[in-house]
Amino acid sequence: MKITTARRLTQIFFFTLFVWLCLAATVGPLWWQWRGWPIAWFLQLDPLVALGTVLTTHSFHPSLAWALVTIGLTILFGRVFCGFVCPFGALHQFVSWLGRLGGRPKDKMAANTYRPAQVIKYYVLLALLAAAAGNLLLTLVRASRDSTWIALVVAAVAVLALFWLTLRKVIASFRRAVLFGALLVLVWFGAAALLSVERLTLATLQIGWLDPIPLVYRSFNLVVLPATDLAVEKWFPSGRFYTGVGLIGALFVALVLLNLVVPRFFCRILCPLGALLGVIGRGTLWSIGKTGAKCTECALCDVDCEGACNPMGPIRVSECLMCMNCLDNCPSVRPIAYLPRPSSGGEISASGVTRRGFVATLIAGAAAVPLARLDGSTKSDWSPSLIRPPGSVAEEEFLARCLKCGECMRVCPTNVLQPSGFAHGWESVWTPVLNNRIGTSGCQLNCIACGHACPTAAIRPLTLDEKQGAGDFTEHGPVRIGLAYVDRGRCLPWAMERPCIVCEENCPVTPKAIYVSEIESTVRDGTFAIASIDGATVRVSGTPLTPGRFASGDYTCKLPDETRSRRIVANTADSLTLDTAPTAEEPPPPGALLEVQVRLQRPVIDPARCIGCGVCEHECPMTGLRAIRVTADNETRSANRSILLKGSR
Amino acid sequence: MIPPHQSPLDPAANRREFLRRGLQAGAAVALTGGLASLLWNRHPPGDFNREAASALLPDFSDKNAGPKMAIVTGQNRTAMVRRALEAMGGISRFIKRGDRVMLKVNAAFATPAILSATTHPELAAELVRLCLGAGAASVLVTDNPINDPESCFNLTGIGPAVRAAGAELVLPRAAQFAPGTLPGARLIRDWPILHEPFRGITKLIGVAPVKQHNRAGASMTMKNWYGLLGGRRNQFHQDINGIIVELAMLVRPTFVVLDGTASMMANGPTGGSLADLKPTQTLVVSTDGIAADAFGATLLDKTFRDLPYIAGATERGLGTADFASLNPVRAAV
Amino acid sequence: MASFSTGRRPSARETAAASGVLVALLAIAAWLWSVQAHFSPAVTVAASAALAAESGRKSVAAPANLIATWPAGLRAMGPMESFSPDTLSDKIDGKAELYLSAGFVAMRCQRITSAAASDAWFEASIYDMGQPENAFSVYSSQKRTATQEAGIGDYGYRAGNQICLVHGQYYLELVAADDREPTLQSAAELARTFIAATAVARHANMAKDEALFPSDGMIAGSVMLLSADVFGFDQLNNTYTARYREGKDDATLFLSRRASPAEAAQLATALCDFFVKDCGGKETVAPTTPRGAVIIDSGGAFDGVFVSGALLGGVHQAASRDAAERWIQRLHARLPTPTP
């Protein structure tokens, strides 16, 4: 069997698996549902996810251990992840092939030649990692303040790294290089001592914008599946809606269509994961290369090259996607092979990143975060409408972990979890936020799906006990994601004196977080002159009533001189039927006035009980701007947003 | 760039080359695995299973023998505090050569010193001079006021006065607070406490004026520690006595100075009018803040029974409300 | 892709590598198949919640403790017990009827001890009576004598080793193992914690009828709301009573709001019949006011009954006919003018 056949089978296998994992991410035990499928497996395999979160959090989340497998494979066998595993790569390869079916070899070879623009992906990677690395820098500064020993090690490593990366090339003289290195160390300690590094060194995980795995998950979860379901009508009985899918979809479609301009445009030019694997696989043990056997230099190996790595000339090992097409195309007797040694045709290991570009990108990436945060959105100007799913870690940590992959939004059974738009700042774009107007309900009391779908614990995997504050977690109370408040200017019983207590009825918390304050109030123009009383039926004169208007059971009639109102059970245009007959010894004279009253139950929130689930907001009959709404106030994850004293709960 | 080479088929060279690259790859794999295991962490922040780091303050209380309390009457704060400390055995009883001293003043409001809503600058400056005179290596002055820190320290006059006396002023920044959980506490749990400036501090002095306080009854040396709390601490006003007692558990000062030269009798803690003040002409130095406050209550025409937090602190054995039992040294200047 | 494939035969090595890749795929597939059978906790929870919903049970686990957070220094001594109307008599056999007739909904109780001294313990029972009036009813109908005000909740009092109080629809009874101050302080602390943690919409002292009793001569704290079998008469329920003392003579005034004046009138007749027939009394001369009032001499103790609108009022066991007449006139004077 040819290795290219195996590769195609593998790509089909992984792509199908990926689509299956997206489809199966419906909470449930049926064969087509979540069951125990590792729905975020491709994200766990992604080394950029692992590296990014290690930089931002300084800790390695166990669920990401799969990335070590990918790294190991890359060190040994090169970018096999790109060529064999990546579902986005498979899609690009397929579309590129489709777009060039029947094309002339000459044109294909031109399209598959190395382009200088392929360096862009390394800059993308650098900028994204630099934005994620601020925290690490801070940790190093703090550690070197605390201990001279650590400071020396950090300085030594930094000098060596700098020397290895740039100095040996920038500065020819060894002596001057050492002096320059010493200067840098001084600058480091000077900065640490003089500058307020705490506020300058911040980290954000923004790899999700372009990391192919989160990107393809997001695109399939939020766009492709819901769009397909419009035609299939099978997966989502009540439809799936996501705010701002336009941009997510447009990015996805644009990246796919760009394959028609440049084959594997994304993989070659933009993909930061590819860049990372290229760096890791730089010294790969096995690689494609020339064996030294006689080569006619027919260039057929370059014709179908997926990575545009020029296998015929000096090969660019970092760009090679392990498509193995060159082996297939070669007409001669093994002048090109997959070998555990460097190509005899020579290798180009340089990525094309210039020293200036390297430094400038690092600085730009690292500086972007404190600049962005100058808007105060992670401090006092936090957005109250940014309601994070239950179990989410505190906001700055959340931005250090969230991949924007959309897994939580996909598994959320009620569709209440939505990708954030630009409204909550650019760092939050496509991160999960509750929107209680969309979907079938608010956050469900008995559901813990989002935390268990999240591969990086931006949303922690809660147990039901922890979420509800039961069992071992009684002391901590339930996880609150926000707090509902009643807009008394819009609420029917508060503002318009119409009975309605939908929010209280739907509050899922026990005891309910919404209780009612009851009053009886005379309705507008509710005073009528009595014409006659016959048993329980009171005839009235004057403006005709709307038949049945007072028959809902919420209306009562207060007869003159009676202290207690009687419930109205029916009404016609000129009569009211009461539940009991008036028993006054002397019936009120004709012309005496009665009052029609309405019993109003007005909702009041108990902040000690409300968990912010938003079911009330979802159910509120004021469908425009709801009369009861949830904000992120009082959410458990941020201590400084609580509104009640701990002891008073 | 590795140039093309011509002897690719030499098996021995190939083997060496393979070994070299194999070792290199193995080392890379091992390094990655090692780093991963070093950083391995299954508890994200916010996880109740994670051990919360807790920033607390060390015990600064004075262990030397000597009087525990001195009450001095007079009008000149500088002279009174000197006399009181003399009566207690001299400043050198408390401050040793090389000590790093934290002076916690009350700079809660940006109001002038004359209104006595804040620690008097002369008194703060005198304490700084005394400490430095006793050989303290450095004196830090701090408070986390309600109004903007910079204007509070400037308008009260404390900032310029203590700087002139040789102290270092610490205007608290968010990064200097760290969450702390006080064992046995109900309120100070995972709450930001001013922590960073206390690194290396060996002695802690509290200095506060005598003020009536609408919510707590009175604000004196115990309430003064409120200024070490960060976060949205105003919610503690839902249980003001509880938080003052817990602050007394959290903060064990070397000694406190209670300034009742002019006591704010009404409209506290801000005051605002000289009419709110009464010349009670007394200054107390005590190693027991609870006793100092119990005495201070008498200046406000109250007793310690009017201040539930004093009883709360006494129950927890943090000090005594019966200040007379400490046999305070009395003097006049 | 393989448009330039020359139809070369792959080497044995290549075939082996390709087969290796496919074997790896099979291994991955097998692994996936095995893990998908081990349900994610999210799925297990959802499935069990669905199951619970199907069988009509509440899926939320009942709280394991009487209150969510223990006050400082207190801890549970045993598990919390819960009782419904069906099971209440398992806990308080003989007294359950009193609660059930007053609209009892649920009761939870737990033994609690001080963390410092484990011999100082108490049992707290929290009765959910549905309505504040019902809670007041059970509170008042078993109020102890020789009490001192506890200042907790509504009407909180302390009697010996016991603290009783009303909080909205809840009636709390805290019975301590001894009558030492620290133990009762702990009990009071628990009650306060419960009150602070439990918001109620309405309080019992908002009831208006209670305020209709004249205040002169009333024995403080003697107002009761009897929910059934008032004075042993099975038709009379939901009646406020208050004890009065004038000189050395005692009397009990009562007041009951009925659904309509007609019902009040009918019940008044029935009550008089009850006093006459079942208590062996006889009607005396009717007083001049209130209109239609009746005074019955039950062998030296005098009962008076009158109706004012939908209110049925009267006096029970006054010392003399004159006293009975005076009492009902005083009570009547306090009532709002009824419907003519």
Side-chain angles (χ1 to χ4, degrees), chain C residues 187-246:
Chain C
E189 187 56 35
L190 181 98
R192 284 193 200 95
T193 312
F194 171 78
I195 289 168
T198 314
V200 291
R202 225 151 44 83
H203 286 270
N205 52 11
M206 290 172 184
K208 292 177 226 90
D209 291 343
E210 184 198 353
L212 294 176
F213 284 115
S215 50
D216 290 356
M218 190 198 288
I219 297 172
S222 68
V223 176
M224 291 169 52
L225 174 60
L226 304 179
S227 50
D229 269 343
V230 182
F231 312 134
F233 178 44
D234 57 0
Q235 288 179 48
L236 185 58
N237 57 8
N238 294 335
T239 300
Y240 281 97
T241 67
R243 297 216 325 282
Y244 283 78
R245 179 163 295 164
E246 198 179 46

Side-chain angles (χ1 to χ4, degrees), chain A residues 320-451:
Chain A
C320 174
L321 298 183
M322 296 297 154
C323 66
M324 312 278 179
N325 283 344
C326 50
L327 304 186
D328 239 14
N329 284 1
C330 184
S332 309
V333 186
R334 293 175 50 72
I336 191 160
Y338 188 52
L339 298 167
R341 59 172 186 265
S343 170
S344 69
E347 290 181 357
I348 299 176
S349 56
S351 57
V353 174
T354 63
R355 290 181 296 273
R356 283 177 196 192
F358 180 86
V359 174
T361 313
L362 273 188
I363 291 174
V369 190
L371 279 180
R373 299 228 174 141
L374 281 179
D375 68 357
S377 58
T378 54
K379 300 286 181 199
S380 55
D381 193 29
W382 58 275
S383 168
S385 57
L386 186 62
I387 306 162
R388 294 291 191 194
S392 296
V393 295
E395 186 61 16
E396 289 191 33
E397 183 75 22
F398 190 88
L399 294 174
R401 286 177 182 266
C402 179
L403 298 171
K404 312 174 192 286
C405 65
E407 281 289 84
C408 49
M409 309 165 205
R410 170 67 190 86
V411 297
C412 177
T414 61
N415 197 196
V416 67
L417 267 186
Q418 294 288 322
S420 163
F422 285 85
H424 305 113
W426 65 266
E427 284 181 76
S428 281
V429 172
W430 301 331
T431 60
V433 57
L434 271 82
N435 179 336
N436 294 312
R437 283 164 55 104
I438 296 193
T440 55
S441 183
C443 175
Q444 299 299 290
L445 193 65
N446 289 316
C447 174
I448 50 170
C450 48

Side-chain angles (χ1 to χ4, degrees), chain A residues 167-481:
Chain A
L167 290 182
R168 62 176 177 170
K169 291 170 186 165
V170 183
I171 303 157
S173 149
F174 178 77
R175 216 222 230 130
R176 285 178 60 195
V178 169
L179 280 175
F180 188 68
L183 187 72
L184 282 176
V185 173
L186 279 180
V187 167
W188 170 269
F189 284 107
L194 297 175
L195 297 178
S196 172
V197 277
E198 278 85 357
R199 300 206 287 183
L200 275 176
T201 47
L202 302 164
T204 184
L205 191 66
Q206 298 296 326
I207 57 171
W209 287 87
L210 283 175
D211 183 334
I213 305 299
L215 194 156
V216 71
Y217 262 102
R218 177 173 70 231
S219 306
F220 269 75
N221 284 337
L222 308 188
V223 184
V224 178
L225 292 190
T228 316
D229 188 57
L230 290 179
V232 184
E233 287 185 87
K234 216 171 186 84
W235 305 318
F236 312 119
S238 33
R240 277 265 149 168
F241 304 97
Y242 293 104
T243 48
V245 283
L247 189 60
I248 300 169
L251 179 66
F252 178 70
V253 172
L255 291 177
V256 170
L257 291 183
L258 277 167
N259 285 307
L260 303 179
V261 183
V262 175
R264 295 198 84 156
F265 175 89
F266 179 80
C267 306
R268 291 180 192 172
I269 296 176
L270 286 181
C271 182
L273 175 59
L276 178 66
L277 293 174
V279 174
I280 296 173
R282 206 175 215 189
T284 166
L285 196 50
W286 268 273
S287 60
I288 295 289
K290 284 180 141 180
T291 58
K294 186 171 162 46
C295 170
T296 60
E297 310 235 328
C298 64
L300 286 181
C301 53
D302 283 356
V303 169
D304 286 313
C305 177
E306 290 289 323
C309 58
N310 294 358
M312 187 184 77
I315 186 172
R316 293 175 180 268
V317 180
S318 301
E319 302 293 318
C320 174
L321 298 183
M322 296 297 154
C323 66
M324 312 278 179
N325 283 344
C326 50
L327 304 186
D328 239 14
N329 284 1
C330 184
S332 309
V333 186
R334 293 175 50 72
I336 191 160
Y338 188 52
L339 298 167
R341 59 172 186 265
S343 170
S344 69
E347 290 181 357
I348 299 176
S349 56
S351 57
V353 174
T354 63
R355 290 181 296 273
R356 283 177 196 192
F358 180 86
V359 174
T361 313
L362 273 188
I363 291 174
V369 190
L371 279 180
R373 299 228 174 141
L374 281 179
D375 68 357
S377 58
T378 54
K379 300 286 181 199
S380 55
D381 193 29
W382 58 275
S383 168
S385 57
L386 186 62
I387 306 162
R388 294 291 191 194
S392 296
V393 295
E395 186 61 16
E396 289 191 33
E397 183 75 22
F398 190 88
L399 294 174
R401 286 177 182 266
C402 179
L403 298 171
K404 312 174 192 286
C405 65
E407 281 289 84
C408 49
M409 309 165 205
R410 170 67 190 86
V411 297
C412 177
T414 61
N415 197 196
V416 67
L417 267 186
Q418 294 288 322
S420 163
F422 285 85
H424 305 113
W426 65 266
E427 284 181 76
S428 281
V429 172
W430 301 331
T431 60
V433 57
L434 271 82
N435 179 336
N436 294 312
R437 283 164 55 104
I438 296 193
T440 55
S441 183
C443 175
Q444 299 299 290
L445 193 65
N446 289 316
C447 174
I448 50 170
C450 48
H452 288 268
C454 181
T456 59
I459 313 170
R460 288 191 294 116
L462 303 176
T463 61
L464 196 59
D465 272 358
E466 184 173 0
K467 189 182 179 203
Q468 299 183 343
D472 292 346
F473 296 92
T474 312
E475 186 194 338
H476 299 286
V479 171
R480 302 177 309 275
I481 56 176

Side-chain angles (χ1 to χ4, degrees), chain A residues 25-263:
Chain A
T26 300
V27 181
L30 304 180
W31 67 268
W32 52 274
Q33 293 177 322
W34 186 350
R35 299 170 61 86
W37 290 105
I39 53 172
W41 192 47
F42 286 94
L43 291 158
Q44 294 170 300
L45 278 170
D46 179 344
L48 183 52
V49 166
L51 178 62
T53 51
V54 161
L55 284 179
T56 51
T57 67
H58 317 149
S59 67
F60 190 77
H61 191 57
S63 105
L64 304 178
W66 281 104
L68 297 174
V69 174
T70 310
I71 294 174
L73 282 175
T74 309
I75 291 173
L76 294 176
F77 304 114
R79 289 170 65 179
V80 284
F81 183 84
C82 302
F84 282 64
V85 182
C86 179
F88 205 27
L91 185 63
H92 290 305
Q93 184 160 1
F94 180 70
V95 175
S96 301
W97 170 75
L98 214 57
R100 283 168 185 76
L101 261 183
R104 290 183 304 165
K106 202 181 139 207
D107 297 340
K108 287 210 254 180
M109 195 163 77
N112 288 333
T113 303
Y114 177 78
R115 288 174 172 74
Q118 286 178 228
V119 72
I120 291 175
K121 63 176 174 289
Y122 295 100
Y123 289 119
V124 172
L125 174 71
L126 273 174
L128 294 174
L129 290 184
N135 267 342
L136 186 69
L137 214 61
L138 177 60
T139 312
L140 289 179
V141 171
R142 283 209 175 125
S144 28
R145 271 184 193 161
D146 287 352
S147 139
T148 328
W149 195 81
I150 294 181
L152 288 176
V153 171
V154 167
V157 171
V159 168
L160 281 177
L162 277 169
F163 192 79
W164 181 67
L165 280 174
T166 53
L167 290 182
R168 62 176 177 170
K169 291 170 186 165
V170 183
I171 303 157
S173 149
F174 178 77
R175 216 222 230 130
R176 285 178 60 195
V178 169
L179 280 175
F180 188 68
L183 187 72
L184 282 176
V185 173
L186 279 180
V187 167
W188 170 269
F189 284 107
L194 297 175
L195 297 178
S196 172
V197 277
E198 278 85 357
R199 300 206 287 183
L200 275 176
T201 47
L202 302 164
T204 184
L205 191 66
Q206 298 296 326
I207 57 171
W209 287 87
L210 283 175
D211 183 334
I213 305 299
L215 194 156
V216 71
Y217 262 102
R218 177 173 70 231
S219 306
F220 269 75
N221 284 337
L222 308 188
V223 184
V224 178
L225 292 190
T228 316
D229 188 57
L230 290 179
V232 184
E233 287 185 87
K234 216 171 186 84
W235 305 318
F236 312 119
S238 33
R240 277 265 149 168
F241 304 97
Y242 293 104
T243 48
V245 283
L247 189 60
I248 300 169
L251 179 66
F252 178 70
V253 172
L255 291 177
V256 170
L257 291 183
L258 277 167
N259 285 307
L260 303 179
V261 183
V262 175

Side-chain angles (χ1 to χ4, degrees), chain A residues 476 480 607-608 634 642-649, chain B residues 235, chain C residues 68-69 193 196-197:
Chain A
H476 299 286
R480 302 177 309 275
N634 211 28
S642 75
I643 60 164
L644 286 181
L645 200 51
K646 283 189 179 162
S648 72
R649 283 200 189 107
Chain B
Q235 59 176 257
Chain C
T69 320
T193 312

